[in-house]
Amino acid sequence: MLPARCREQQIDSFVHPVARTFQKCGATFAWRALPPGEANLVAEPSSRSASGSATRDPVVEPSKPRLLKLLGPGLVTGASDDDPSGIATYSQAGAQFGYAASWSLVLTYPLMVAIQIISARVGRTTGHGLAGNIARCHPRWVAYAVTVPLLIANIINIGADLGAMGDALKLLVGGSNRVYVVMFGAICIGLQVLLAYKRYVAVLKWLSLALLTYVAALFVTKVDWAALAWSIALPKLSFDPAYLSILVAIFGTTISPYLFFWQASQEAEDLKEKPGERPLIGHPEQADPARERIQLDTAIGMAISNVIALAIVTTTAATLNPAGLTDIQSSVDAAKALEPIAGSFAKVIFAVGILGTGILAVPVLAGSAAYAIGETAKWPVGLSREPREAKAFYLAVSIATAIGVALNFTEVDPIRALVWSAIVNGVVAVPIMVILMLLAADPKIMKQFVIGPILKTLGWIATAAMTAAIIGMLVTAI
């Protein structure tokens, strides 16, 4: 048997290379001196830890697929884009125009990916969210000019989504939709205020699986795959005002300002929770793996978002459009209309999808608004903070959701409110995108990590396309 000193040297020579290997794979560990003959790796603790214990045994630590660990802000951002209001837009597109609008979801994909990667890189590089960077680099009134309209639009969207969730649960089990609205509002507030950050992020990731229900709905309907492929490969362009309106609605739904703020803030937030990770401007050695992760995470998240949107358009195009059911006012209307055509199973999975995506999207809408206002006002912000450490931030989250709940007890027409929300979102999106592009290309802010020519080109194309969409929306409204 080896003497104690030799055994320590053997353990030490084994553990340090292993620790370096784990560090390269994205898991950071700290070495701590222990009594002779013992060796251990101790995970560095984080502020709102889900476990309550700082120590982990590397031998019994469960292995996780590397891809699952890499997916985070991009996946959640993409999944939250398919909220109940978005589902209503995609359902209307398929019901009214069949497969004709499908091509737009393919066109918007590279533009979505580019603008979200740029948002994420601003957050990861500077360690601040988008609103925080705007407030640091521009007069305060500029930051408020873009964040206050965002807050208003998000609250309206929250109200519409909660209303759709209440109607969906009533469709499934009966009861009072208003009671359900209050219940879902409380659940959404509780997710952000009560859950530890890591668990909250894990919940959001699992909720993104609710989107699979729309893939299931797709495969219980009889789809004309040739017509779908033809409409994507050779799109039919029309200047019909109704057709232009639905294209504008799809573009405004897939590229939304709250998504920019959310992903940038989550990248900055993750730095507080991942030991060893720091803003790139101070730690350029972390740049390559960080950029690779952001690109993969965002590309997959936006792909899921648009594939699900395409599945919804295709399902309603294959069922509702041939039956002459072309006026879909909400996602629940689509679920009801599917039952006599595609069966009760299609109705159920469509309604279940509304519930899952709503519980995912409402906290993102409220959270992105709170991040935007909080960073502008220079409050302590962040879901990784305890509520007592960021009272104003969590109060903003709660109030935004509560007002959304209250909107369902008023005489406000939810469809008209969503139209105004879309207009506000569209009007504020263009200046936000311009500011974002200027921030990401400014070496004073991004140092050597300014965006390259490909991202710059796609980002400005997305900005120009959004400008054209807003002009189109205003023209069709007139």
Side-chain angles (χ1 to χ4, degrees), residues 379-397:
W379 300 337
V381 300
L383 293 167
S384 63
R385 295 178 184 267
E386 295 288 346
R388 65 177 180 273
E389 299 170 343
K391 294 178 182 178
F393 171 78
Y394 282 104
L395 187 62
V397 168

Side-chain angles (χ1 to χ4, degrees), residues 129-169:
L130 181 54
N133 278 291
I134 294 174
R136 288 165 61 220
C137 304
H138 296 277
R140 191 68 60 86
W141 68 265
V142 174
Y144 278 117
V146 296
T147 56
V148 171
L150 175 80
L151 173 64
I152 295 170
N154 279 16
I155 288 174
I156 295 172
N157 225 329
I158 289 169
D161 284 352
L162 288 171
M165 293 160 68
D167 290 339
L169 190 54

Side-chain angles (χ1 to χ4, degrees), residues 35-394:
E38 296 182 37
N40 195 8
L41 288 174
V42 180
E44 294 182 5
S46 58
S47 52
R48 259 183 120 189
S49 174
S51 64
S53 173
T55 59
R56 292 176 184 261
D57 185 346
V59 177
V60 299
E61 179 75 12
S63 60
K64 298 178 181 179
R66 180 160 169 73
L67 181 61
L68 183 61
K69 295 179 71 175
L70 288 175
L71 297 179
L75 172 65
V76 173
T77 301
S80 67
D81 193 27
D82 292 326
D83 67 326
S85 302
I87 293 167
T89 298
Y90 304 137
S91 299
Q92 178 63 33
Q96 189 171 2
F97 298 104
Y99 303 108
S102 302
W103 62 271
S104 61
L105 291 165
V106 178
L107 175 66
T108 57
Y109 174 70
L111 304 182
M112 283 178 72
V113 171
I115 207 71
Q116 290 302 140
I117 286 177
I118 293 168
S119 302
R121 284 181 56 173
V122 167
R124 181 65 179 85
T125 301
T126 65
H128 299 280
L130 181 54
N133 278 291
I134 294 174
R136 288 165 61 220
C137 304
H138 296 277
R140 191 68 60 86
W141 68 265
V142 174
Y144 278 117
V146 296
T147 56
V148 171
L150 175 80
L151 173 64
I152 295 170
N154 279 16
I155 288 174
I156 295 172
N157 225 329
I158 289 169
D161 284 352
L162 288 171
M165 293 160 68
D167 290 339
L169 190 54
K170 180 180 179 180
L171 182 66
L172 292 174
V173 300
S176 170
N177 60 332
R178 288 187 170 180
V179 171
Y180 298 146
V181 165
V182 174
M183 178 185 72
F184 285 127
I187 290 172
C188 292
I189 292 173
L191 281 174
Q192 296 185 88
V193 176
L194 301 178
L195 277 186
Y197 178 72
K198 288 183 179 179
R199 286 183 179 170
Y200 171 66
V201 171
V203 168
L204 292 184
K205 286 184 181 181
W206 282 108
L207 284 173
S208 65
L209 295 177
L211 296 173
L212 295 178
T213 57
Y214 295 107
V215 177
L218 176 65
F219 285 101
V220 298
T221 58
K222 188 177 181 181
V223 177
D224 187 343
W225 296 104
L228 174 62
W230 191 259
S231 69
I232 292 174
L234 293 172
K236 178 183 177 182
L237 301 179
S238 170
F239 292 99
D240 174 44
Y243 183 68
L244 291 176
S245 293
I246 206 67
L247 291 181
V248 169
I250 289 174
F251 198 91
T253 300
T254 53
I255 301 180
S256 298
Y258 78 90
L259 301 177
F260 315 156
F261 286 89
W262 175 260
Q263 191 162 354
S265 293
Q266 288 308 107
E267 286 292 338
E269 187 91 7
D270 279 357
L271 296 179
K272 306 171 188 175
E273 285 293 302
K274 294 180 179 179
E277 292 197 2
R278 298 290 183 269
L280 298 183
I281 54 175
H283 295 266
E285 72 280 358
Q286 299 180 5
D288 288 343
R291 285 186 293 197
E292 290 172 5
R293 177 192 57 77
I294 287 172
Q295 289 170 1
L296 179 64
D297 182 24
T298 306
I300 291 176
M302 299 309 120
I304 290 172
S305 173
N306 275 27
V307 166
I308 297 304
L310 185 59
I312 296 169
V313 171
T314 303
T315 298
T316 53
T319 53
L320 305 186
N321 182 264
L325 300 173
T326 59
D327 187 20
I328 302 298
Q329 294 296 314
S330 70
S331 51
V332 176
D333 283 352
K336 290 178 182 177
L338 280 172
E339 183 174 20
I341 303 168
S344 58
F345 179 69
K347 178 197 79 171
V348 168
I349 59 178
F350 220 80
V352 169
I354 293 169
L355 297 178
T357 58
I359 294 175
L360 169 65
V362 169
V364 172
L365 284 161
S368 63
Y371 275 117
I373 294 297
E375 290 173 0
T376 300
K378 296 187 177 181
W379 300 337
V381 300
L383 293 167
S384 63
R385 295 178 184 267
E386 295 288 346
R388 65 177 180 273
E389 299 170 343
K391 294 178 182 178
F393 171 78
Y394 282 104

Side-chain angles (χ1 to χ4, degrees), residues 155-156 158-159 162 397-410:
I155 288 174
I156 295 172
I158 289 169
L162 288 171
V397 168
S398 302
I399 290 176
T401 308
I403 295 175
V405 170
L407 288 176
N408 287 275
F409 291 82
T410 67

